[in-house]
Amino acid sequence: MGGGLRELTSLQVLRTLDTGPRGLTDGDAAERLARFGENTLPARRTVSWPGRFLRSLRDPFTAVLLCLGLVSAAVAAWGAACVITVLVVVSCVLRSAGEHRADRSMAGLRDLVATTATVLRRADGEAAPVAREIPVDELVPGDVVRLGPGDLVPADVRLLRANNLSVNQAALTGESAPVVKHPVDAPNRPGDRRTGGAPTDNAPTGHGPAGGGAGRKGHGPTGGEVPESGSFDAPQLCFQGSSVMAGSGTAVVVATGAHTRFAAAHDSVHPRGPSAFDRSVHGISWILIRFMLLTPPLVLMANAALRGRGLETLPFAVAVAVGLTPEMLPVIVTTCLARGASLLARVHGVIVRRLPALHDLGAVDVLCLDKTGTLTQDRPVVVRALDADGRDDPEVLHWAAVNAWWTLQLADLPVPDALDEAILDADDSLGEALLVAHDATDVRDTADAADAADAADAADAADTAAGDDASGHDVPGHDRVEVPGHGRGAAVPFDYDGIAAVPFDPARRLSTAVVRTPGRLGLHTLVVKGAVENVLERCALDDAERQRLLALAADRADDGLRLLAVATAERPARQRAYTPADERGLTFTGFVALREELVPSAAGALRVLADRGVTVKVLTGDHPGTVARACRDLGLDPGEVCTADGIDRLTDRELAELADRTTVFARCTPEHKARIVSTLRAAGHTTGFLGDGVNDLPALHAADVGICPRDAVDVARESAGVVLAGHGKDLTAIDHAIMAGRHSSVTIATYLRITLSSNLGNVIAMLAAGLLLPFLPMLPAQALVQNLCFDAAQLTFSYDRVAPAALRRPTMLRPRDFLRFITAFGALNAVADLATFAVLALALRGPGGTDDEALFHSGWFTENLLTQALVMVLLRTGRRTAEAPGTSGARGVFGVRGISPVGRAAAALAVTGLLLPLSPLGPPLGMTALPSVYYLLLVVVLGLYAVALAVARRRHENRGARK
């Protein structure tokens, strides 16, 4: 929305757009639609199935396997090349299918968004305008639209008329309080930026038709100067992405599609950087690549130097490199993430749009979020009613309820004001009175069904119960009820006769109800309620008393309360209409203090997240006192609250130190949020960000994983990696997602540790055997079968249930930790293999002949599968039995008691290692039966290996616990 239109009057805007208050003709609208295009954001290109498949090939693990497959094919190792190709295809298909399902779910969410607008159109230039519903996509500049409560603003518009209109711009600015909007028939003057916000920069005491605004007088929506391309707090402008909270209005469309501020905010977002998963995968992939590039030259040089062999050992060298690679890694990673994402969508209503985002959730140790909708509901609740000395006084709440009730009844407001609703809900006497009135109505209904005499008696009884006004006048549609012990004469709001109401407007920032009190003939009572400064300046107070009351209000505001002032005045009864000029010489009654209602599940969810090692940081544009109070009420220590002004003065290093120890950041702009998130990431934290508006886009992109609710703006849902489809901004749902991410990450980490350490041990042993033996220690066909058996057994890791202890803290694939683990346990595995060589030498009584070669191959094949089975059982992080949810360990995943899927797979792997050399498949693979003494000696080797594994694991766990 250009700055030029903002400075024009309404008539000048209509002339500039070549339109009028009666709207466009159908022909003009069609011509403009062809010229300006549809009112949609720039199309987001849908990725095709082939495109998804090819994009999956860019995964570093998959790329490593593809390179090995090509090398295997180059040296004519067709079996290994085929196996690797199949694994790559399976992994890519699984990943593409999972992301396709997530996109279908997202399309379903987009269908839930309202897609029509009420527009004035004419058949031709002479026809009368007709209000009609058209798709939002068909709106064009110059269209005249009507706005009502609950409507989404369909484009950037300039108001022509408005009736108590207020809009929620939280999706654009992050401000939780609605903003009052009204036409401005003259260009804005410097400083004329009234929006119904709070009167001061620090005190959230404003009162507006939808709850009042905690704005910042003289500043833009984010605390800086008003943006040149359009001010969100300009009262005459409404922007696409905001919603109407109360009132109605008529406006002309000035910008659509890619030219709206909504689209501009989306286009300004920088590309997302690598996430925690991307960084981990790249680190581990480079470790594997270094090992694989180093292994073949070492094998070739060693064999050439010690055995005089040449290029004939190249297939063996490639087999050694392939043996080091965890071929099942892409399949395991994709299967774990896809199963976790499917479970979250099915059970908890959480959609994982990018599978790696699930791992990032498991690694999150800092969760950044806003206050409104997450910690508090966007609904005020009365906390206290205070007199002029700051003491509790129910009389103040009573008069506030009188104002709220009769303003609602007489001012013809389209919907109740949120603050007025909170006041009426808090007035207990009103609720009791409504119950009595309801009972009286029931009595009358019963009387109508009885005979005439009984009906008359019942009606008299009802009239006695309801009571009559002392003045002899009844309030239409209501029964007056006396509630003993409340306020003046135990009156409730509708005990009074409503005379007139002067509704709220953004200039006065208060409302007035005029009532006649029962028994006080000839007098009218003015009840005024509104912003503290505006009410006090109309009260009969000296300057010292007024300043004292302002200081009292500021003190309560700093404690996180939103204050409304209440005042009354007695006037002689009259027939002449009441105007704002009558709001003078008032008697101050007191303050009504409100706060935002807390989300019921937030306190428990915050405690759970803290127990799981996730630090919550609140990044909000709201008042510091309001945020701090909400945090304290929820059991979250806010500590020292940092504001945007403090952030601007800090360097990145200073901000990193501050962000590490600060819980609440208030008055944040979108840029502040993104900078804080980026600083936390740079400091080594894995960050999640929960947001739902256009103003949250920079932070959603800056975080490792962006999270948003289903009702977020469309661009936020498209930018987020995780969407909460059924819970709003529910922290409990995020906790479920974090645990699912940790489960997947622990499973992937377990697979990597076991596979890489086992493979490294085999590679070291294979290199040693190749130098010591006159023949190859293992034939290519045997290596292929061994890898297939191990790979099939490893698939069960995807179905293993992780031990609760492994899920207590954030999990992340850290390359250096993996390198230390696989080096230590790989060396231990190599020692076991070398011990097996010694056992084979004793059992075979010295080498010599083809039988000895076949026996060696058989013995090492059996030992390899048995040691890998031991590693799977002893190094896994899962439970000893696979418990199904809700069974407390009574049954396994498959519905029966017994060992876990990993335990079953390990047992099957061990049986295969023992029986395959004895089976008919043994001779074709170059294997034969082994002597009995070998098995006896092998038991000793395996027993010592198991003990060593258990001791090494315990030391590793203890070292990790100390860290």
Side-chain angles (χ1 to χ4, degrees):
M1 186 181 298
L5 289 181
R6 191 173 68 250
E7 299 301 327
L8 302 178
T9 65
S10 299
L11 182 59
Q12 290 171 329
V13 170
L14 291 173
R15 289 175 177 171
T16 301
L17 295 171
D18 194 19
T19 185
R22 302 168 66 213
L24 298 173
T25 65
D26 291 337
D28 289 340
E31 184 272 330
R32 297 188 186 199
L33 185 63
R35 187 186 351 154
F36 295 108
E38 291 187 342
N39 180 33
T40 58
L41 291 176
R44 186 180 182 87
R45 187 169 59 89
T46 302
V47 182
S48 63
W49 255 99
R52 290 184 192 280
F53 188 89
L54 293 175
R55 191 169 61 183
S56 300
L57 294 176
R58 294 183 299 179
D59 177 79
F61 288 146
T62 305
V64 169
L65 279 185
L66 275 179
C67 292
L68 285 177
L70 293 174
V71 173
S72 299
V75 297
W78 300 111
C82 291
V83 170
I84 289 174
T85 302
V86 169
L87 294 176
V88 168
V89 170
V90 169
S91 171
C92 293
V93 168
L94 287 175
R95 183 165 181 171
S96 301
E99 294 184 354
H100 178 68
R101 283 194 300 269
D103 278 355
R104 283 192 304 178
S105 300
M106 290 295 299
L109 292 181
R110 283 192 290 269
D111 292 340
L112 298 176
V113 179
T115 56
T116 62
T118 303
V119 62
L120 295 180
R121 289 276 178 89
R122 295 172 291 157
D124 53 53
E126 303 299 326
V130 177
R132 65 180 75 165
E133 293 285 325
I134 67 169
V136 169
D137 298 353
E138 297 179 8
L139 284 179
V140 295
D143 263 328
V144 175
V145 297
R146 290 179 176 173
L147 303 174
D151 287 347
L152 297 176
V153 178
D156 288 356
V157 300
R158 166 74 177 256
L159 286 174
L160 303 176
R161 291 185 297 277
N163 179 24
N164 297 311
L165 179 66
S166 65
V167 300
N168 188 321
Q169 299 183 151
L172 300 169
T173 67
E175 294 283 357
S176 60
V179 180
V180 175
K181 295 290 185 178
H182 57 87
V184 175
D185 291 328
N188 275 353
R189 296 178 299 276
D192 184 17
R193 298 170 184 168
R194 293 188 300 267
T195 65
T200 67
D201 188 53
N202 293 322
T205 58
H207 177 56
R216 290 183 292 285
K217 188 174 181 181
H219 286 68
T222 57
E225 291 300 317
V226 176
E228 183 178 349
S229 59
S231 172
F232 286 121
D233 64 351
Q236 73 273 33
L237 303 179
C238 296
F239 297 88
Q240 184 182 40
S242 55
S243 59
V244 179
M245 299 297 294
S248 59
T250 302
V252 60
V253 175
V254 297
T256 61
H259 303 287
T260 62
R261 289 295 307 276
F262 189 93
H266 178 242
D267 293 339
S268 65
V269 175
H270 299 293
R272 185 188 303 275
S275 67
F277 181 80
D278 298 328
R279 296 192 299 270
S280 300
V281 166
H282 279 83
I284 295 174
S285 298
W286 276 108
I287 290 176
L288 294 177
I289 290 172
R290 292 187 186 101
F291 272 116
M292 287 183 294
L293 292 177
L294 184 63
T295 300
L298 285 178
V299 173
L300 291 174
M301 288 188 295
N303 278 277
L306 300 178
R307 294 290 178 180
R309 299 169 185 161
L311 290 178
E312 65 271 15
T313 59
L314 181 60
F316 176 69
V318 172
V320 172
V322 171
L324 181 64
T325 308
E327 300 96 334
M328 292 297 293
L329 181 56
V331 177
I332 295 290
V333 169
T334 305
T335 303
C336 289
L337 296 179
R339 288 189 71 247
S342 177
L343 179 66
L344 281 175
R346 187 172 64 254
V347 178
H348 301 296
V350 178
I351 299 173
V352 180
R353 298 191 61 248
R354 298 180 299 105
L355 288 183
L358 187 58
H359 165 270
D360 296 336
L361 275 172
V364 163
D365 61 343
V366 175
L367 177 62
C368 301
L369 45 84
D370 194 4
K371 172 183 68 69
T372 304
T374 308
L375 305 181
T376 63
Q377 303 180 56
D378 198 8
R379 184 171 67 246
V381 59
V382 173
V383 179
R384 302 177 67 186
L386 308 173
D387 63 12
D389 295 322
R391 295 187 297 264
D392 290 327
D393 185 358
E395 186 79 2
V396 178
L397 180 60
H398 164 72
W399 283 117
V402 170
N403 172 281
W405 176 266
W406 285 110
T407 302
L408 178 63
Q409 298 300 313
L410 300 176
D412 193 27
L413 298 177
V415 293
D417 167 70
L419 291 180
D420 287 345
E421 281 190 323
I423 291 171
L424 293 175
D425 288 343
D427 190 14
D428 295 336
S429 66
L430 178 63
E432 297 172 8
L434 290 174
L435 288 175
V436 176
H438 176 72
D439 292 341
T441 303
D442 289 344
V443 173
R444 286 201 175 99
D445 293 340
T446 304
D448 290 340
D451 56 66
D454 292 338
D457 294 339
D460 292 340
D463 289 339
T464 301
D468 292 316
D469 191 346
S471 65
H473 299 284
D474 291 330
V475 179
H478 296 285
D479 294 302
R480 262 185 309 283
V481 183
E482 294 295 332
V483 180
H486 180 82
R488 300 191 178 188
V492 294
F494 46 77
D495 278 326
Y496 302 85
D497 281 336
I499 303 301
V502 184
F504 176 91
D505 71 59
R508 294 161 44 243
R509 296 173 61 237
L510 50 82
S511 63
T512 298
V514 184
V515 299
R516 181 169 56 239
T517 304
R520 297 175 64 86
L521 299 177
L523 289 176
H524 288 171
T525 302
L526 277 68
V527 186
V528 180
K529 169 174 62 65
V532 172
E533 284 187 352
N534 300 70
V535 172
L536 289 179
E537 69 184 13
R538 290 165 170 81
C539 291
L541 300 169
D542 57 43
D543 290 342
E545 179 65 8
R546 184 175 289 108
Q547 291 302 317
R548 186 186 70 82
L549 292 173
L550 285 172
L552 177 63
D555 181 63
R556 295 296 187 273
D558 289 339
D559 194 34
L561 297 177
R562 176 179 294 178
L563 293 186
L564 298 177
V566 181
T568 59
E570 300 283 355
R571 298 283 191 268
R574 73 187 194 197
Q575 297 297 321
R576 190 173 72 254
Y578 284 88
T579 68
D582 296 301
E583 299 164 344
R584 66 184 188 281
L586 306 176
T587 300
F588 180 74
T589 302
F591 300 107
V592 176
L594 305 97
R595 63 167 172 79
E596 288 187 323
E597 188 168 357
L598 303 177
V599 174
S601 62
L606 288 173
R607 287 194 298 271
V608 170
L609 288 172
D611 292 341
R612 301 197 194 284
V614 178
T615 301
V616 172
K617 296 190 181 294
V618 183
L619 315 182
T620 179
D622 283 338
H623 184 272
T626 303
V627 189
R629 182 182 182 89
C631 291
R632 285 194 297 270
D633 291 344
L634 291 169
L636 180 65
D637 183 11
E640 183 179 352
V641 179
C642 179
T643 61
D645 294 338
I647 297 174
D648 291 333
R649 293 191 295 265
L650 300 177
T651 64
D652 288 344
R653 182 174 180 179
E654 292 170 337
L655 180 58
E657 296 175 355
L658 177 68
D660 199 49
R661 64 176 187 269
T662 303
T663 300
V664 176
F665 294 87
R667 297 298 199 202
C668 289
T669 68
E671 291 73 21
H672 289 132
K673 294 180 181 181
R675 187 185 174 201
I676 293 168
V677 172
S678 299
T679 300
L680 288 168
R681 285 187 66 187
H685 295 285
T686 303
T687 58
F689 183 84
L690 174 61
D692 59 359
V694 175
N695 63 304
D696 293 322
L697 284 177
L700 284 171
H701 277 260
D704 287 288
V705 54
I707 311 167
C708 73
R710 62 180 290 177
D711 54 357
V713 297
D714 189 62
V715 289
R717 289 201 304 269
E718 296 294 344
S719 300
V722 176
V723 178
L724 310 179
H727 301 272
K729 292 160 76 173
D730 184 7
L731 293 178
T732 303
I734 295 178
D735 174 61
H736 291 312
I738 287 175
M739 294 307 290
R742 290 185 184 181
H743 186 285
S744 299
S745 298
V746 169
T747 301
I748 295 169
T750 301
Y751 165 79
L752 277 172
R753 291 191 189 100
I754 291 175
T755 304
L756 290 176
S757 59
S758 180
N759 288 358
L760 181 61
N762 287 340
V763 166
I764 295 173
M766 198 176 293
L767 290 173
L771 298 176
L772 298 174
L773 299 174
F775 51 81
L776 292 178
M778 185 173 290
L779 298 178
Q782 295 166 353
L784 180 60
V785 171
Q786 176 181 279
N787 285 342
L788 286 176
C789 291
F790 196 24
D791 291 343
Q794 289 168 334
L795 275 176
T796 57
F797 281 116
S798 302
Y799 302 90
D800 195 22
R801 282 186 61 78
V802 177
L807 303 177
R808 291 174 184 164
R809 293 297 171 197
T811 56
M812 189 172 179
L813 306 177
R814 302 184 185 277
R816 290 189 178 182
D817 293 343
F818 275 102
L819 183 59
R820 285 193 293 267
F821 185 95
I822 65 176
T823 301
F825 284 85
L828 191 60
N829 183 272
V831 170
D833 285 344
L834 293 175
T836 303
F837 295 167
V839 168
L840 286 170
L842 291 175
L844 299 179
R845 295 181 299 276
T850 57
D851 287 341
D852 292 341
E853 183 176 342
L855 285 171
F856 184 91
H857 291 159
S858 302
W860 198 23
F861 181 89
T862 299
E863 185 267 348
N864 265 337
L865 293 189
L866 290 176
T867 53
Q868 288 175 342
L870 271 177
V871 169
M872 288 179 63
V873 172
L874 295 178
L875 295 187
R876 63 183 281 261
T877 56
R879 303 179 182 182
R880 293 297 175 255
T881 58
E883 303 166 8
T887 61
S888 300
R891 289 183 175 272
V893 168
F894 300 106
V896 297
R897 297 177 184 270
I899 59 177
S900 68
V902 172
R904 296 178 185 181
L909 190 64
V911 170
T912 301
L914 291 171
L915 298 183
L916 188 60
L918 306 176
S919 70
L921 294 177
L925 292 174
M927 293 185 287
T928 187
L930 292 163
S932 301
V933 66
Y934 169 75
Y935 294 106
L936 295 176
L937 295 173
L938 184 61
V939 168
V940 176
V941 172
L942 293 178
L944 294 174
Y945 180 52
V947 171
L949 277 178
V951 171
R953 174 177 174 172
R954 178 63 60 85
R955 293 184 60 185
H956 175 77
E957 291 175 346
N958 291 339
R959 189 182 303 112
R962 286 195 297 270
K963 289 182 179 180

